[in-house]
Amino acid sequence: MKELRRVCSPINTAGCEYSRTSLMWKFLGKKSSSFIFPQNSFCTKFQPETQILREHVFTAMGRIRTDCIERLLRICFEMMGHFIGSHPWWFVIIPLILSASLGSGFVLLEDRMSNDIEEQFTPGDGQAKLERKYIQETFPGNDSMFSRLRLSTDGNYATLIATSDRNILTVESLQDILDLDFKVRNMAVQFNNLSFEYVDVCAEVMGSCTSNYILDIIEYSANNIDTINLTFPWYYSNFRSIPLYLTLGSVKLCEESSVVESAKAIQLHYYLDEDNKTKTDLWLESFINLVSNISSTSIQVSKTFQCFK
């Protein structure tokens, strides 16, 4: 007589459903058969067989390997650790040599450092740069006839601002300014074991360096200020119109007149040639060091500079 197997229904515990699938009998090593029994008969007798089936299913699932990735990583790290342990000096000396080689590039960091705000913060193909290129091609500059009005860039220049609590248009204050101007123009800067001065890097007009209007008016003599009536904002001399508003600051005029009574600031510009960037950068650096160490009893001196790259 064949052995009978039944599974109690999880839906209706009062009744039983008979297994007619061959998969259940396969786990039990039996052939598939079909039986019909009255409902509610022998239910409790066949319940233990359900537990046996479950144990066989979980046993089969337990044989599946789930550590494929973990096992591979474990083997790789094991081999790497063994290699490092067998050759420890390689992993001490080689990193030191590699770090020293890569760190040697910091020696060139200062030369490669960029202070150009335009290059760092504006797009290379921006509309403004395209329009500037058009202006430069259409209205090219003349190196021998420098004009600040024709600059298509901010330009290379240094600015020296002398101020005074009182009137700066005095012989004493102007003499200090002239002495300072002389030091700036004759400042020697070293480059490749050679020295150069402002005349070697200045922007030229008719073969001479650009000058400052107020110093041209007094003809580089402080005593001449007492014989000249300066007018503001324009000064007219020998059929020339000189814009003093670019040079004088905090100007006080005589009543109902354009004649200058006093001023509290004078601004001097030193324009540089834009073609020789290396020399102009060195000159600007020396200019800052020079002006920073100057002291005077009659004027206070400050400086600014603009370097176009």
Side-chain angles (χ1 to χ4, degrees), residues 24-124:
M24 180 182 296
W25 297 99
K26 185 176 180 180
F27 279 108
L28 298 176
K30 305 295 183 177
K31 294 183 179 180
S32 178
S33 301
S34 298
F35 303 95
I36 301 176
F37 290 93
Q39 190 175 4
N40 298 329
S41 62
F42 307 108
C43 286
T44 56
K45 178 180 180 180
F46 303 119
Q47 285 181 359
E49 299 303 331
T50 306
Q51 183 65 27
I52 296 175
L53 175 60
R54 292 175 181 173
E55 291 178 357
H56 279 277
V57 171
F58 288 128
T59 301
M61 293 180 61
R63 295 173 183 171
I64 300 175
R65 303 189 63 88
T66 59
D67 61 344
C68 300
I69 298 177
E70 179 185 354
R71 183 170 176 271
L72 179 61
L73 293 176
R74 185 172 63 250
I75 294 174
C76 293
F77 282 115
E78 182 180 354
M79 294 175 61
M80 184 175 65
H82 181 269
F83 182 78
I84 295 175
S86 302
H87 310 84
W89 287 108
W90 288 14
F91 295 90
V92 174
I93 297 175
I94 293 179
L96 292 177
I97 296 176
L98 185 61
S99 299
S101 301
L102 297 177
S104 62
F106 284 103
V107 177
L108 306 175
L109 182 62
E110 185 175 356
D111 296 335
R112 295 177 176 272
M113 185 170 54
S114 176
N115 293 322
D116 186 6
I117 298 179
E118 179 180 319
E119 179 183 354
Q120 294 175 355
F121 298 102
T122 60

Side-chain angles (χ1 to χ4, degrees), residues 10 69 73 88 102 112 117 119 138 140 156 158-159 190 195 222 232 235 241 284 291:
I69 298 177
L73 293 176
L102 297 177
R112 295 177 176 272
I117 298 179
E119 179 183 354
T138 307
N156 278 4
T159 302
Q190 298 296 322
S195 62
F232 189 87
Y235 176 77
S241 299
L284 287 172
V291 177

